[in-house]
Structures are given as structure tokens and as C-alpha cells.
Amino acid sequence: MDKQQQDHELKRSLGLGSALSIVVGTLIGSGIFFKQGSVLDSAGSSTMALLAWILGGIITLAGGLTVAEIGAQMPYTGGLYVYIENIYGRLMGFMAGWMQVIVYGPAIIASVAGFMSILMANFFGLGAQWRAPLAIITVLAITVINILENKAGAWFAIITTLGKMIPIAAIIIFGVFFGHQHALGQTVAEVHQSAGNFGVAILATLFGYDGWILVASLGGEMKNPQKVLPKAIVLGITFVLIVYTLITYGVLRFIPVETIHRLGENTTSYMSKAAFGTIGGKLLDAGIIISMMGTLNGKIMTFPRIVYAMAKRHDLPFSNLLGYVTPKSREPLSAQLFIFILSAIMMCFFDPDRLSDLCVFTVYIFYTLAFVGIFILRKRNPDPSVRPFKTPLYPFVPIVALAGGIFVLISEIFNDPQGVILFVVIVVVGLPVLALVKWLDKRRIEKSKF
């Protein structure tokens, strides 16, 4: 079955508003609220921390502009999996898909849900032992919403994206206009001594920006993907870059760096209570929880589409089961449950902070291949008419994206070599799995002849 036939099984019902809400809703989640302390610690000063968030956004925007050109030429369900396959062949495409459905997708969902459960436990006054159950229950509830129909998930994305604007606006306005700290130039010995390096700081910000490519996995369900997909990626990333810069500036204006260093992942929650009192702080915390639910929704909505696309190609064990779609809503039910189960396992056994860094490393291996891919595609077919969207300032923008990708990979290898080895091994395990699946398929076909 080819990609276009696969996509006809899913409804093309997503417009620019839905796609843009998925991009923004997926990006603005836990990263900007929970990574302020770790970015500051690694950067060593408030100025460098703010610069890390800006550069992280520029790297992401360069990557988004680069992939938007590729995605406009391949508007099918599957996203990065489809791009890598079309550029590098079936084997590399499989590795990209395997990475997303076995490692990156469940891990990023588990990481965001883990951060969210910290805030939820504090909100309800529950102990740390409730974090994993709260995370699992929330992910399950959002999965059920997405099982109903892709419009339900899209509407949930729009509602949560609008809802998250309230705490974001409150933090920006109060921090920028009522803060009394010097946002730039703050540095203390305690922070400086604990600093990793500027590269690690940028790496931490990229978790906050990650997820922009997931909307590409819904290409087969967009009404006019050649136009909608590039607009959603570029406009969404640009908007989030501006928002993240303002939030960080507001936090640095309101809270001294010594306090941010001491609070770590609780910085934003502390700010909301200090600025608006106990009740106001609770309401802002609720808004941040809604924001993170929107992020989870975007990821839960998109990753099963990659499972579905791979299953339709018989690239996974139990492909017939994983490729099942519900008769009425045309939703990939089994794929959604598969992602939920893997995510739940990771929620129980892994720390969300470490998961977030390893997620970024793993996906950037294939982002970097995609960035190289734009040069391959242009050389393969120099006719500009085949490109509905053209990356501006080519080749400068793709080179920036590629340099950013290489930087991420090198930084994480030096920062966490053991974690890198673990995740790379999990990705490489996909090769014997693919060989087994293809062998079983061959035997099934041979038996059917007799």
C-alpha cells in the first residue's frame, strides 16, 4: 500500500488553525516552566541564560524552515519517518520511525507527564508517590480523547493553547513590568561554580522547543498540506521563540539568580505564588498544568500516526493489529494504545529530566540527516517548481540548522555518554527486529501459495 492510499484511510480535516495550535500547543509545555534553573546553572549568568534560550530558538527556527521545504514536497502521514525514507531509502526510514515510536515518542511523553505530575502533586497537596499515577491517568485520559476522532484532539489542542496563554501572559506582564531585578548581568559564585557550559545550556533549551516537527506526522490529515504545513511550522516556532524570550526575561526580572538556582524546577511555581498570592498562584499553576496537557495532546495525537504509517508498510511486529483504525472515527486505535503503554512504563522507571535530554539527542540524530536531506533533494531535482515552499536564505538557513544539529549531538555525547549509549543501542535493536518481521512476512507469503 503506498503512502497516498494509507492517507485516504484517515480523514483530511485539519486546517491552518488546528495545525498551528498543535505546533504551539506541543512546544509550549514543560520545558520553559521547568528548565529555567538548569539553563541558568549551565550558562552561569542571567545574560548567557537568556542568550541560550534565544539561540535555541534560532536553531529550532532554522531547522523548521529547512524541514518545511521537505515536508511540503512529501505531505504524507508519518512525518520524519517518511522524509528520511524518501531521501535515504527504506532502511534509514525504518530506523527513523523505530526511533520515534520506541524511544523518542514514549520517552518525550513520559518526560512531559513526569514534569506535569510534579506540579499536579503540589497543586493537590499529594506526596511524591502520587506522581507516577497522576501522570499515567492524565496521559490515558488524553489518549481516550484522541481515540474519539482527530477533530476532538484538534479542538483540545486549540482550547489548551488558548488556555495556556493566560499564565504565560501573567508571567510576562508581571515579571517585565513589576520585577525589580536586573534581568541582564546577574551572576553569583554559587551559580558560576555549578555551571556546566554554554553548550549544555542551549541543549536544555532545545527540550523546550522540541516537538515542532510532530505536526508533519499529520500531513495526510491536512486539507491543503503543501501550504498549511510550512505555515504552521514557521509561524508556530517564531511565535514560541518570542514567547520564550519574554518569559525568561520576566522570570529574571522578578527572581534573583541565587533564588532561581536554589528553586530549580520549582522556579515558575514560586514566581506565580509570590506574584499573585496563594490563590492566584494556584490558578496560574492550574493554567500551567493545562498548558502541559496541551503539549501532551500534541504528542499523543501525532506519534500513533507514525506507528500507523509503519504498520501499513509492515515494518513492525503485529503490523495488522497496529494498523487498525476505528470504523467510524478512522482513528489508529491500536497505535494509540501502543504508545500509551510504552509511555506508562517509562513514567514508572525513568527520571523526567534525564529523559528530556536523551530525547533531544536521539531525535536530533535524524533531524541532522533531514537537514542534510534538503541539499540532496535540491541536487536530485533542481527544478524549483517541485517545491511548494522554499527555505529562505538558502543555503545559509539549512547550514545553521545542520550546525545546530551537530552541536547537539556532540554536547550530549560529552555530557551523558552512558545515556547516549543506552538510547543508541535501543535504536540499533530495530535492525534485527526489522529482519525478523520481514522474514516472518516472507514465510507467511510462501505458505499462502500452497
Side-chain angles (χ1 to χ4, degrees), residues 26 108-109 112 210-211 214 295-304:
T26 302
I108 201 94
I109 291 172
V112 174
D210 192 47
L214 296 184
T295 300
L296 284 171
N297 179 67
K299 298 180 189 307
I300 291 168
M301 187 178 186
T302 52
F303 282 117

Side-chain angles (χ1 to χ4, degrees), residues 194-400:
S194 68
N197 57 62
F198 188 60
V200 175
I202 295 178
L203 187 67
T205 70
L206 289 174
F207 172 68
Y209 286 107
D210 192 47
W212 54 270
I213 201 171
L214 296 184
V215 71
S217 300
L218 299 168
E221 296 168 77
M222 292 179 186
K223 294 176 181 176
N224 189 358
Q226 286 89 350
K227 292 184 178 180
V228 169
L229 182 59
K231 284 182 180 179
I233 290 176
V234 175
L235 292 176
I237 294 174
T238 302
F239 176 77
V240 172
L241 169 57
I242 295 169
V243 167
Y244 278 12
T245 302
L246 290 173
I247 288 176
T248 303
Y249 185 81
V251 170
L252 293 171
R253 279 274 294 167
F254 191 81
I255 307 176
V257 290
E258 299 97 329
T259 306
I260 295 174
H261 168 70
R262 177 174 53 83
L263 291 169
E265 61 190 20
N266 294 312
T267 297
T268 309
S269 181
Y270 167 86
M271 179 178 175
S272 63
K273 290 179 176 63
F276 301 100
T278 302
I279 296 177
K282 282 279 189 182
L283 291 174
L284 277 185
D285 283 348
I288 294 172
I289 290 171
I290 291 171
S291 167
M292 295 168 77
M293 286 182 178
T295 300
L296 284 171
N297 179 67
K299 298 180 189 307
I300 291 168
M301 187 178 186
T302 52
F303 282 117
R305 268 66 183 176
I306 304 170
V307 177
Y308 168 82
M310 294 186 73
K312 283 299 178 182
R313 303 292 299 278
H314 293 278
D315 282 350
L316 294 173
F318 310 107
S319 287
N320 289 336
L321 176 63
L322 293 174
Y324 171 78
V325 294
T326 54
K328 185 177 180 181
S329 62
R330 311 307 299 167
E331 285 296 300
L333 173 63
S334 301
Q336 288 168 328
L337 295 176
F338 175 75
I339 290 293
F340 165 72
I341 292 169
L342 288 182
S343 302
I345 292 170
M346 291 191 180
M347 287 178 224
C348 295
F349 296 105
F350 289 93
D351 171 67
D353 198 44
R354 192 178 185 207
L355 270 180
S356 67
D357 289 340
L358 290 171
C359 284
V360 171
F361 168 81
T362 309
V363 78
Y364 259 87
I365 295 174
F366 294 92
Y367 281 175
T368 303
L369 288 174
F371 301 153
V372 173
I374 192 174
F375 299 103
I376 296 174
L377 288 176
R378 288 215 177 193
K379 186 176 180 180
R380 191 179 291 172
N381 192 344
D383 182 5
S385 65
V386 303
R387 293 184 281 276
F389 174 85
K390 300 175 184 64
T391 300
L393 301 177
Y394 179 91
F396 175 72
V397 169
I399 289 172
V400 171

Side-chain angles (χ1 to χ4, degrees), residues 112-174:
V112 174
F115 283 128
M116 181 197 64
S117 67
I118 295 171
L119 204 56
M120 291 180 75
N122 293 337
F123 185 87
F124 293 110
L126 301 173
Q129 70 273 16
W130 283 95
R131 290 178 183 175
L134 285 170
I136 292 171
I137 290 169
T138 304
V139 171
L140 178 60
I142 297 173
T143 299
V144 171
I145 290 173
N146 280 278
I147 286 173
L148 299 177
E149 189 176 350
N150 62 8
K151 276 190 176 181
W155 273 109
F156 189 72
I158 293 171
I159 293 168
T160 53
T161 299
L162 293 174
K164 73 176 59 184
M165 293 300 111
I166 297 172
I168 287 170
I171 291 170
I172 291 172
I173 292 171
F174 202 91

